[in-house]
């Protein structure tokens, strides 16, 4: 038995921060941001919105599409690196807001690859018959941990949530065919948020050294990303006896248009097969893949049986791909 994605949903906070707005905050300009990243604007959670609030909104839409009552969800897994609190999990807050008592609920941490790690986890439970349905969410409010004095990073990120509902299918032509995941912890230093955990607990010094914010060696991440994404996509195609020509659609983590263009080029996938929305949202971390999937789905770009390749990479480094027959 395989699991099938039967519902998608997404949510972005109302407030929009444009590149022009950023020009007033740091020494940057619209032209640099557009040319180097492809981003034009991003959405920012207001002070009353936490990650679980965004996740809940996306979940409601996905459940509606799946025609699944919130109380009947059996498993909730949230990919996030900006949880409401260190504990309990953001998934538990989502469960409570859904009025659900049946589901077990937990978070997974794989930064921008979080939604694929969450999808892989839920897929195993659904495909094995252990649960009849699962709610998978990628949600992040990275703007809460952006250093608004660091132009290298603060221009990149936005807040959002995306959700997917999985159910089992007997249809041999459809479902999640494979998920391939990788990590290389020796690269932890090129993208991280060093402060606030057990290594550098909150203290005045940690705050003064700005360790509670995202630190990234952009060019190094860029190089690793292009190579790892190509490899993990080829791994997915090879494992399923497919070639790039078999793909109807690619849904990729929206970090940088240049990374995506170059990965697609290396794979031999035409750019029009990859749904892009980073110009509107920036890099939304765990939310990126499921929000992009939801947009493509609601735009009618996905047809039953289509081969769809998802890919993501982020801090860890952690990365992965999923090959799906829609
Ligand atoms: O989601 C997880 C995965 N994350 C990523 O995939 C991010 C990967 N990295 C990237 O996307 C790119 O490395 C960035 C977009 C972050 C940076 O682009 P880049 O082409 O690698 O630029 P750079 O860091 O090499 O910087 C080039 C120049 C520097 O100036 P100098 O030293 O050449 O004088 C920077 O100081 O651009 C300068 N710069 C900026 N200028 C205007 C850096 N940020 C900005 C800025 N506005 N916001």
């Amino acid at each position: 038995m395989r699991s099938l994605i039967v519902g998608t949903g997404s949510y972005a906070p109302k407030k929009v921060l444009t590149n022009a707005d950023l020009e007033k905050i740091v020494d940057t300009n619209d032209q640099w941001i557009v040319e180097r990243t492809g981003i034009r604007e991003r959405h920012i959670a207001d002070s009353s919105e936490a990650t679980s609030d965004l996740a809940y909104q996306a979940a409601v839409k996905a459940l509606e599409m799946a025609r699944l009552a919130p109380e009947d969800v059996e498993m909730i897994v949230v990919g996030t690196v900006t949880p409401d609190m260190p504990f309990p999990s953001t998934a538990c807050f989502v469960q409570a807001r859904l009025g659900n008592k049946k589901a077990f609920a937990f978070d997974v941490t794989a930064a921008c690859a979080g939604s694929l790690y969450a999808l892989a986890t839920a897929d195993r439970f659904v495909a094995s018959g252990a649960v009849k349905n699962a709610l998978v969410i990628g949600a992040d409010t990275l703007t809460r941990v952006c250093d608004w004095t660091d132009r290298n990073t603060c221009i990149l990120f936005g807040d959002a949530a995306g959700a997917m509902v999985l159910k089992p299918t007997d249809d041999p032509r459809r479902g999640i065919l494979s998920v391939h995941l990788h990590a290389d912890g020796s690269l932890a230093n090129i993208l991280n948020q060093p402060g606030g955990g057990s290594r550098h607990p909150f203290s005045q010094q940690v705050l003064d050294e700005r360790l509670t914010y995202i630190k990234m060696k952009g060019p190094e991440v860029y190089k690793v990303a292009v190579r790892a994404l190509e490899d993990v996509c080829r791994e997915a195609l090879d494992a399923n006896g497919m070639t790039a020509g078999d793909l109807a659609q690619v849904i990729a983590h929206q970090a940088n248009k240049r990374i995506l263009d170059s990965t697609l080029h290396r794979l031999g996938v035409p750019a029009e097969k990859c749904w892009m929305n980073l110009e509107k949202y920036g890099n939304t971390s765990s939310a990126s893949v499921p929000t992009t999937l939801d947009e493509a789905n609601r735009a009618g770009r996905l047809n039953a049986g289509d081969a769809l390749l998802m890919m993501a990479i982020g801090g860890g480094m952690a990365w992965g791909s999923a090959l799906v027959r829609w």
Side-chain angles (χ1 to χ4, degrees), residues 1 74-75 104 121-133 168:
M1 200 158 48
E74 294 184 0
M75 170 180 186
F104 58 96
T121 309
D123 173 49
R124 298 307 189 272
F125 279 89
V126 174
S128 68
V131 301
K132 291 191 197 65
N133 62 63

Side-chain angles (χ1 to χ4, degrees), residues 149-160:
T149 66
D150 176 12
R151 68 176 184 174
N152 291 292
T153 51
C154 75
I155 54 126
L156 298 170
F157 302 106
D159 303 330

